[in-house]
Amino acid sequence: MNERVLITGGEGDLAAAIADTFREAGFDVRNPGRRELDVSSPESVSEYFSSAAPIDLLIANAGCAENGLLARTTESAWDRQLEINLHGAFRCARAALRPMLKQRRGHLIFLSSYSAIHPPAGQAAYASAKAGLLGLSKSLAQEVGPANIRSNVILPGFLETKMTRDLPQARREQVLRDHRLLRFNTPEATAEFILHLHRSMPHTSGQSFQLDSR
């Protein structure tokens, strides 16, 4: 039986690249969009996982970014970013783990951000949520490692996707100059690395991988 992969936030450009890469490698891939799996809704997560077959790999990719100075950030805006970026990953990981623990195998991969470790001004909420994924993953690696379940984090770096499309050109050029190779990572390269991590690095857990050249 082909391994089952679930990619949250399935309508994004990175999710599409990951889905294509894993399907081409022979995996059974599900990449639901928000209408099918809304990670910010406990009811949606519970309903989705209760009706879906157990998965072998969860790629917690769903996320949002709303920039703004902290002094002007409302509590609702703060909560929204933590709800999707961090709480959503927690909900999906918890739901995915139940069958993984029974079958004593599985892999959780969380998509974090360079902002988790080097956040710019105006990303306090986003950076806090993405940094939370680092702690979540490392703790889970300790917790579920004895059950042969891995947990890792990917920091793709700046990707030219729907999420970054509206960034001002001046800011884009500034970010590019920060890259030692003077080029951005791509969704396709990120997807290939995730496939390699899952399929060819079976002894790796509790790690964080930054994929750009900053």
Side-chain angles (χ1 to χ4, degrees):
M1 180 184 296
N2 293 342
E3 285 190 85
R4 297 188 182 98
V5 180
L6 173 63
I7 308 163
T8 67
E11 295 174 333
D13 294 335
L14 179 56
I18 297 170
D20 289 345
T21 296
F22 273 82
R23 286 193 181 106
E24 289 171 4
F27 289 78
D28 180 359
V29 179
R30 300 289 181 270
N31 55 318
R34 187 173 183 181
R35 282 174 291 184
E36 192 176 353
L37 173 58
D38 181 357
V39 302
S40 68
S41 164
E43 295 77 18
S44 177
V45 172
S46 177
E47 181 179 346
Y48 185 90
F49 278 89
S50 64
S51 61
I55 60 173
D56 301 287
L57 169 61
L58 169 68
I59 301 175
N61 167 74
C64 72
E66 299 177 26
N67 296 342
L69 298 177
L70 186 66
R72 298 176 182 172
T73 299
T74 64
E75 289 200 22
S76 61
W78 177 276
D79 290 344
R80 185 164 52 250
Q81 293 203 65
L82 266 69
E83 196 67 51
I84 295 173
N85 292 314
L86 181 57
H87 299 172
F90 147 71
R91 292 187 184 104
C92 292
R94 181 177 59 178
L97 275 173
R98 290 170 181 146
M100 285 182 181
L101 288 166
K102 291 181 181 179
Q103 62 194 19
R104 297 191 68 80
R105 71 177 187 278
H107 193 183
L108 308 170
I109 296 179
F110 299 93
L111 270 295
S112 183
S113 170
Y114 181 80
S115 291
I117 52 176
H118 296 291
Q123 285 198 339
Y126 178 74
S128 296
K130 289 298 189 178
L133 293 176
L134 301 177
L136 172 63
S137 179
K138 285 185 176 295
S139 181
L140 279 177
Q142 295 280 359
E143 182 178 324
V144 300
N148 191 36
I149 299 170
R150 296 185 286 150
S151 179
N152 291 292
V153 177
I154 302 294
L155 288 68
F158 186 95
L159 302 176
E160 296 191 280
T161 64
K162 296 173 187 175
M163 186 177 287
T164 60
R165 198 162 290 156
D166 294 332
L167 197 69
Q169 184 62 28
R171 175 57 181 158
R172 186 186 304 272
E173 292 173 357
Q174 179 185 15
V175 172
L176 183 60
R177 287 194 296 270
D178 291 338
H179 287 67
R180 294 173 179 87
L181 295 176
L182 298 178
R183 61 178 181 266
F184 296 132
N185 187 18
T186 66
E188 293 75 20
T190 302
E192 289 290 347
F193 181 85
I194 293 173
L195 175 63
H196 177 73
L197 172 62
H198 179 67
R199 190 167 60 179
S200 302
M201 300 172 66
H203 312 299
T204 300
S205 187
Q207 305 304 312
S208 302
F209 298 93
Q210 183 179 325
L211 303 186
D212 64 4
S213 64
R214 282 183 286 186

